Amino acid sequence: MASNDEQLKKAGLKVTSPRMKILEILKKPENQHISAEDVYKILLEQKDEIGLATVYRVLNQFDDAGIITRHHFEGGRSVFELSAKEHHDHLVCLTCGHVFEFEDDVIEERQEKVAKTNKLTLTNHSLYLYGECQRGENCEYKLAIEAE
């Protein structure tokens, strides 16, 4: 993966301290599907003096530049993830808001078949499935998808 400097320069963005710090946060696996507010909280914990308005501005710049992807899940808040990942779909818990990524070749093939049947060439798609975790008070958990 390209360094943060290279990634910003390739996107036509000047290398600044706030951009570097926010990009570093977004590159951590545990920070995928993270909100602007959560990025801001991490910066505060790190004692970085970057305002919430700057976080929003940088995330919008990253989204416009294709560095990250913005998702609007149920519940009204936007979350972000790096764009360089392979295609995947999402399961979203309506109780805790946790987002699980999954890949399923059968679903992908079916979507292609439906598009072809309707004389449509797919250029892009996204699939969001909504439900409620069955973990009660321990709602947020990591999903283990096992091939059947």
Side-chain angles (χ1 to χ4, degrees), residues 83-132:
S83 296
K85 298 167 71 174
E86 294 292 322
H87 172 75
H88 57 274
D89 297 307
H90 298 92
L91 291 169
V92 182
C93 176
L94 293 171
T95 304
C96 70
H98 192 76
V99 179
F100 309 100
E101 295 179 358
F102 72 96
E103 297 173 20
D104 187 310
D105 292 338
V106 174
I107 291 174
E108 296 301 317
E109 290 168 11
R110 183 70 181 136
Q111 291 174 122
E112 287 288 341
K113 185 176 178 182
V114 168
K116 186 176 180 180
T117 299
N118 289 285
K119 297 181 179 12
L120 179 76
T121 301
L122 286 180
T123 57
N124 191 11
H125 78 275
S126 57
L127 176 64
Y128 305 117
L129 302 174
Y130 297 94
E132 295 178 350

Side-chain angles (χ1 to χ4, degrees), residues 40 50-60:
Y40 178 67
I50 298 171
L52 183 57
T54 300
V55 171
Y56 276 106
R57 186 171 48 255
V58 168
L59 291 173
N60 283 327

